[in-house]
Amino acid sequence: MLTVKEVSKVVDLSEHTIRYYTDKGLIPMIKRDKNNNRVFDDECIGTLITIKCLKDTGMPLDEIKKYIHLYLEGESTFDIRYKMIVKQYEIAKKQLLEAEDRVEFLKNKVALYESQHK
Amino acid sequence: MLTVKEVSKVVDLSEHTIRYYTDKGLIPMIKRDKNNNRVFDDECIGTLITIKCLKDTGMPLDEIKKYIHLYLEGESTFDIRYKMIVKQYEIAKKQLLEAEDRVEFLKNKVALYESQHK
DNA sequence: ATAACATCTTCGAGTAACTCGAAGGCAAAT
DNA sequence: ATTTGCCTTCGAGTTACTCGAAGATGTTAT
């Protein structure tokens, strides 16, 4: 059972961002303790990790929210959720190629600078 | 010599975004034709490609602008420019690892969905 | 020649996803 | 008892787009 500050370290997102996500309804299973503080269990943390991955593949928060809620609806939403994940998987693979290109590009730039350094 | 529309296809950025960049001063060497239309030569396109790469490694537009202008100042700014590029190169390598992790994560999710599909 | 169309321009408003700081509540430590 | 530290909510500000409207200009069709 972790606090906002603790999960912010675990998932590497700012405390502000984590509160923003909970308030937007992206982690609907989150509970509060007797002092009204957010408490994160393993399910919440797993959800946050999924949110982060989907966000980083460019999925808008509204669509991520939809995915989480479809998941909570159960088996009947299997097909649509599967399609959503496959789509992001394709995007992730494309992003990987682009990341490789950027590394190449900057590696060449660095090499160029170093060749000019007398 | 290309128009906004043409470069938008070459570098895969929207026409709006390209105008936004020129108006922000990120492509200071850009010229206008007799009808006041933006015209992009090879140098402009090279600059745009560099801008896109730096932006995708998370550099803010203001800092990219600074880099471009330092470049135009010549040799005296060599060291600072070199440091800026090395920094983004390190970030690009980190992003590559993260992109790999996302592909792995989503690949596993897809596999999980497919194992449950009867 | 004139009308229609495409493509360019500027401008201002709107949006997503943070990002920050202030003001205040509660609980343990000195 | 008060200071420290972490939590809360709220509202404002920022970045980087993103969009659409209104208008100038140049090209093509009749």
Side-chain angles (χ1 to χ4, degrees), chain A residues 21 26 46-61 63-68 71 81-89 91-92 95, chain B residues 102 105-106 109 113:
Chain A
Y21 287 175
L26 271 79
T47 302
L48 252 180
I49 290 168
T50 299
I51 289 168
K52 201 193 174 189
C53 180
L54 294 176
K55 179 206 73 178
D56 287 342
T57 55
M59 189 185 273
L61 297 188
E63 206 179 328
I64 296 174
K65 180 176 174 177
K66 194 179 141 197
Y67 174 80
I68 306 286
Y71 172 75
R81 281 185 284 125
Y82 173 60
K83 271 174 200 139
M84 289 170 92
I85 292 297
V86 167
K87 187 179 163 199
Q88 294 316 113
Y89 177 48
I91 291 171
Q95 286 180 335
Chain B
R102 284 197 300 275
F105 183 88
L106 289 168
K109 276 237 173 225
Y113 271 103

Side-chain angles (χ1 to χ4, degrees), chain A residues 56 67 78 81-82 113-114, chain B residues 67 78 81-82 113-114:
Chain A
D56 287 342
Y67 174 80
F78 185 94
R81 281 185 284 125
Y82 173 60
Y113 270 103
E114 284 171 359
Chain B
Y67 174 80
F78 186 94
R81 283 186 281 124
Y82 172 61
Y113 271 103
E114 283 171 359

Side-chain angles (χ1 to χ4, degrees), chain B:
Chain B
M1 295 302 201
L2 305 180
T3 65
V4 169
K5 187 173 211 174
E6 287 160 348
V7 286
S8 98
K9 278 163 194 157
V10 173
V11 300
D12 196 32
L13 290 168
S14 80
E15 296 178 43
H16 273 295
T17 298
I18 289 164
R19 290 198 196 93
Y20 180 71
Y21 286 175
T22 63
D23 295 355
K24 275 227 148 186
L26 271 79
I27 313 164
M29 70 292 282
I30 197 170
K31 301 279 189 301
R32 301 285 185 133
D33 68 9
K34 65 187 189 318
N35 295 315
N36 199 35
N37 296 337
R38 295 166 183 85
V39 289
F40 296 79
D41 59 14
D42 286 352
E43 194 192 355
C44 293
I45 292 162
T47 302
L48 252 180
I49 291 168
T50 299
I51 289 168
K52 201 193 176 190
C53 180
L54 293 176
K55 179 206 72 178
D56 287 343
T57 55
M59 191 186 272
L61 297 189
D62 278 359
E63 206 180 327
I64 296 174
K65 180 176 174 177
K66 193 178 141 196
Y67 174 80
I68 306 286
H69 284 258
L70 286 171
Y71 172 75
L72 295 176
E73 276 183 49
E75 197 60 25
S76 65
T77 64
F78 186 94
D79 281 11
I80 180 163
R81 283 186 281 124
Y82 172 61
K83 272 175 199 136
M84 289 170 91
I85 291 297
V86 167
K87 187 179 163 196
Q88 293 318 113
Y89 177 47
E90 298 304 324
I91 291 171
K93 284 190 286 187
K94 199 171 136 252
Q95 286 181 335
L96 178 57
L97 298 178
E98 289 166 1
E100 283 167 359
D101 287 348
R102 284 197 300 275
V103 169
E104 249 339 273
F105 183 88
L106 289 168
K107 190 177 173 175
N108 288 336
K109 276 237 173 225
V110 169
L112 201 68
Y113 271 103
E114 283 171 359
S115 76
Q116 281 166 30
H117 195 229
K118 348 127 269 299

Side-chain angles (χ1 to χ4, degrees), chain A residues 104-117:
Chain A
E104 251 336 276
F105 183 88
L106 289 169
K107 190 176 171 172
N108 289 337
K109 276 236 173 226
V110 168
L112 201 67
Y113 270 103
E114 284 171 359
S115 77
Q116 281 165 30
H117 194 227

Side-chain angles (χ1 to χ4, degrees), chain A residues 18-34:
Chain A
I18 289 164
R19 289 197 196 95
Y20 180 72
Y21 287 175
T22 63
D23 295 355
K24 276 226 148 186
L26 271 79
I27 312 164
M29 69 293 280
I30 197 169
K31 301 278 189 299
R32 301 286 184 131
D33 68 10
K34 62 187 189 321

